[in-house]
Amino acid sequence: MQRILILLVFVYASASHAQIKSQVFVDGELKDSRTFADTIQLTNYIERLQLEWINKGYYFSGIDSLVSNGESHIYLHKGEPLKVNLDVYKGKKLAKQLERELDNYSNSGYPFASISLDSLSLNGEVLSGKLQIKSGPEIAYDSAYFFSPIKTNHSYIYQLLDIVPGGKFSERSYAQISKKVERSSFLSIQRPTDLSFRNKKAKVFLDLKEEAANTFQGVLGLQQNGSQSSTLVGNIELDIQNLFRFGKQFMFSWERFSEESQRLNILYKHPFFLDSKISPSFRFDLLKQDTTFLTRQFGLGVYTYIAPRVELFLEYEQTKGTLLSTDIQFLEGTGLAGFTRSLYSLRLSQGNLMNLGRLTDGVVWAASGGAGRKSVDRNLDVPDAYYDTIQTNTNFYQFEGVFAYQLKTFKRQAFFHHLTAGSIENDQLLQNELYRVGGLTTLRGFNEKAIFARHYFLSRMEFRSFFEERSYAYVFYDQLIYQRRDLRDYPFGVGLGFALATSSGQFTFALAVGNSENQSISFSTMKAHFGYISRF
């Protein structure tokens, strides 16, 4: 009797989602003893084992018998190595081809597909035959079972985890559910997922927890401008991560970073538009720098996931810079001008910095690049001679990167490190296009957005001592390297602070002093920052 050679299609019952304790014997000897999460995982283990043997020429390997009495005993036969002649597939090439075929089936609605050999003939040590594929029943996702009540719209969760009811079952997608939950800032998984099959349907069992991720925060700071009295600066921000329980995001922030300078940001993100994999977004950014210039920025983009935790973002951005001051001496000294710029950009990212605010290890990163065109706008109140030395139409390139991680060093201590970098390439770069660095969220110990930079690299290091999950005291050291025209400087800031979690949010406080080419460390230049984040 011909022996089934390649795969095991093995199901204990039409509906089963209990763990399976198993012992695997090969030619009468115990090879492995382990517990499998479900029949799919057990089947995959046997498949990979047999493919490994096939790769070494054991083409008559297969299942001898099965004994199930509380704990399953699986008896496999390895056989003797043979040479193979199956059309164009030989040796390792055969094993890879079979594995690729199985993956295609298991991720396209056929998790119980099997491959066997037909019309076998053995001539000495040479095996000949034909491959035969049995797809098995087509399996589709059923609605998921939630162990705890979930207020978030279930259709959003299905799209987020790629388990849409009626869609074809995918073994790969199911195995990545725990990673895909991390795409959301307001959902967490409490225990491993489970699975059952019934009537050609796959039901996923989920134990999810909804967390408070919507935030309203306010930050106040005191900063001195030279020898003048202290100025009160700060910002307020509303960030709704789960608008209307559909996973939509709306963010509004307003910031005052000097006496006459303000910034306004608005962002809206619509997840899985029309049940697709695409999430469109819109943002608006308005910056007013005292009485010198105004910058307006519009952005239209789309998000999509290209890996369980990696997000791809494409955006078209238009920026308009307008002069508020037309004093020719001031303009010549600062290099300001009105401009219009269009930029096409791409960004890859993974993780959320909010998740590094607790006692845990984690990594967050992002990388982006953009290219576009810029034209300088002539102001009728500015003499034409001012524009004679300015290139009016130029190419514009921008590159940015973020990498942050947190490592637990002791039982209640952690080291946090946040790296950011940015670079602008343009033959006619204007002062009002430069990066703005300084303040609580960038370089502590300096006035908000006080530093203009064309290229910069910023390192923010903190040693945190936790006394609750989200409460900790810390000391920090911030180091900036930046360049603007012929100026290169290496300012740094040091200080200490604490974050105190409350029943509805988190209170933060920080004291910082900074040192640069134009500012020495002094208590008179110390910056104090107060903040409160309300979570709901």
Side-chain angles (χ1 to χ4, degrees), residues 24-31 49 53 74-78:
V24 180
F25 296 84
V26 178
D27 292 334
E29 296 183 1
L30 180 65
K31 175 179 176 59
L49 187 61
W53 291 342
I74 303 166
Y75 295 89
L76 303 178
H77 173 71
K78 190 173 181 180

Side-chain angles (χ1 to χ4, degrees), residues 166-235:
K168 293 182 179 181
F169 175 80
S170 169
E171 182 183 321
R172 183 189 299 115
S173 180
Y174 169 72
Q176 295 173 343
I177 284 179
S178 60
K179 295 180 180 179
K180 292 178 180 178
V181 170
E182 297 179 21
R183 296 172 172 178
S184 170
S185 61
F186 52 87
L187 292 174
S188 63
I189 194 163
Q190 302 302 295
R191 55 178 166 176
T193 58
D194 224 332
L195 182 68
S196 72
F197 296 94
R198 184 187 296 271
N199 299 327
K200 299 183 179 180
K201 295 286 187 180
K203 179 176 282 292
V204 180
F205 294 79
L206 295 171
D207 189 3
L208 298 179
K209 178 184 178 183
E210 291 177 299
E211 299 183 350
N214 301 329
T215 61
F216 178 80
Q217 60 179 304
V219 176
L220 291 176
L222 293 173
Q223 66 181 33
Q224 290 189 347
N225 300 312
S227 60
Q228 300 177 8
S229 59
S230 298
T231 300
L232 185 66
V233 297
N235 74 283

Side-chain angles (χ1 to χ4, degrees), residues 27 63 72 144 179-180 202 292 308 335 440 452 503:
D27 292 334
I63 301 171
S72 65
K179 295 180 180 179
K180 292 178 180 178
T292 57
L440 178 62
F452 291 78
S503 59

Side-chain angles (χ1 to χ4, degrees), residues 164-390:
V164 178
K168 293 182 179 181
F169 175 80
S170 169
E171 182 183 321
R172 183 189 299 115
S173 180
Y174 169 72
Q176 295 173 343
I177 284 179
S178 60
K179 295 180 180 179
K180 292 178 180 178
V181 170
E182 297 179 21
R183 296 172 172 178
S184 170
S185 61
F186 52 87
L187 292 174
S188 63
I189 194 163
Q190 302 302 295
R191 55 178 166 176
T193 58
D194 224 332
L195 182 68
S196 72
F197 296 94
R198 184 187 296 271
N199 299 327
K200 299 183 179 180
K201 295 286 187 180
K203 179 176 282 292
V204 180
F205 294 79
L206 295 171
D207 189 3
L208 298 179
K209 178 184 178 183
E210 291 177 299
E211 299 183 350
N214 301 329
T215 61
F216 178 80
Q217 60 179 304
V219 176
L220 291 176
L222 293 173
Q223 66 181 33
Q224 290 189 347
N225 300 312
S227 60
Q228 300 177 8
S229 59
S230 298
T231 300
L232 185 66
V233 297
N235 74 283
I236 57 173
E237 180 179 299
L238 173 66
D239 188 359
I240 301 178
Q241 295 278 331
N242 192 12
L243 184 65
F244 306 131
R245 302 289 182 181
F246 276 85
K248 301 173 183 178
Q249 182 184 4
F250 174 78
M251 190 271 289
F252 169 89
S253 69
W254 173 83
E255 179 181 10
R256 182 184 189 229
F257 53 90
S258 66
E259 188 171 355
E260 296 183 82
S261 301
Q262 303 175 57
R263 187 167 194 167
L264 173 70
N265 292 90
I266 297 174
L267 168 70
Y268 175 73
K269 180 180 177 181
H270 190 104
F272 309 118
F273 183 66
L274 297 178
D275 294 329
S276 69
K277 302 295 184 182
I278 300 299
S279 300
S281 69
F282 164 81
R283 66 180 179 87
F284 172 71
D285 185 7
L286 178 66
L287 171 67
K288 178 181 180 294
Q289 178 68 40
D290 46 60
T291 59
T292 57
F293 66 84
L294 183 73
T295 303
R296 298 182 299 275
Q297 194 172 85
F298 299 88
L300 290 174
V302 290
Y303 294 82
T304 189
Y305 287 99
I306 60 173
R309 289 176 291 190
V310 178
E311 189 174 50
L312 170 66
F313 177 55
L314 302 173
E315 185 185 46
Y316 168 74
E317 170 191 294
Q318 187 173 70
T319 306
K320 178 74 172 179
T322 304
L323 291 178
L324 299 180
S325 172
T326 56
D327 182 271
I328 187 61
Q329 293 184 344
F330 177 78
L331 295 180
E332 290 176 341
T334 57
L336 294 172
F339 68 92
T340 301
R341 185 182 70 221
S342 295
L343 187 70
Y344 299 89
S345 61
L346 177 151
R347 184 180 74 219
L348 294 173
S349 62
Q350 175 181 305
N352 190 324
L353 277 175
M354 289 180 59
N355 297 332
L356 301 185
R358 63 182 72 182
L359 184 57
T360 183
D361 293 336
V363 174
V364 174
W365 61 266
S368 66
R373 291 283 292 174
K374 183 188 75 175
S375 62
V376 174
D377 301 331
R378 291 178 177 268
N379 190 306
L380 297 179
D381 295 326
V382 177
D384 291 339
Y386 177 69
Y387 295 100
D388 290 344
T389 58
I390 294 179

Side-chain angles (χ1 to χ4, degrees), residues 118 245 395:
D118 192 14
R245 302 289 182 181
N395 294 324

Side-chain angles (χ1 to χ4, degrees), residues 396-401 420-427 429-430 433-437 451-458 479-491:
F396 187 93
Y397 305 95
Q398 185 171 325
F399 306 94
E400 298 177 349
T420 57
S423 178
I424 299 174
E425 295 295 335
N426 181 245
D427 292 336
L429 194 61
L430 305 171
E433 293 182 282
L434 298 174
Y435 289 110
R436 308 293 298 275
V437 185
I451 298 173
F452 291 78
R454 176 174 185 163
H455 312 291
Y456 80 93
F457 177 82
L458 174 64
Q479 177 68 64
L480 174 68
I481 302 172
Y482 79 95
Q483 179 183 355
R484 181 183 73 244
R485 296 182 181 175
D486 297 330
L487 173 65
R488 184 188 294 268
D489 197 6
Y490 309 89

Side-chain angles (χ1 to χ4, degrees), residues 471-512:
S471 299
Y472 55 91
Y474 63 95
V475 293
F476 65 84
Y477 174 79
D478 297 345
Q479 177 68 64
L480 174 68
I481 302 172
Y482 79 95
Q483 179 183 355
R484 181 183 73 244
R485 296 182 181 175
D486 297 330
L487 173 65
R488 184 188 294 268
D489 197 6
Y490 309 89
F492 66 86
V494 295
L496 51 84
F498 65 84
L500 180 62
T502 67
S503 59
S504 60
Q506 187 180 60
F507 174 76
T508 58
F509 173 76
L511 282 176

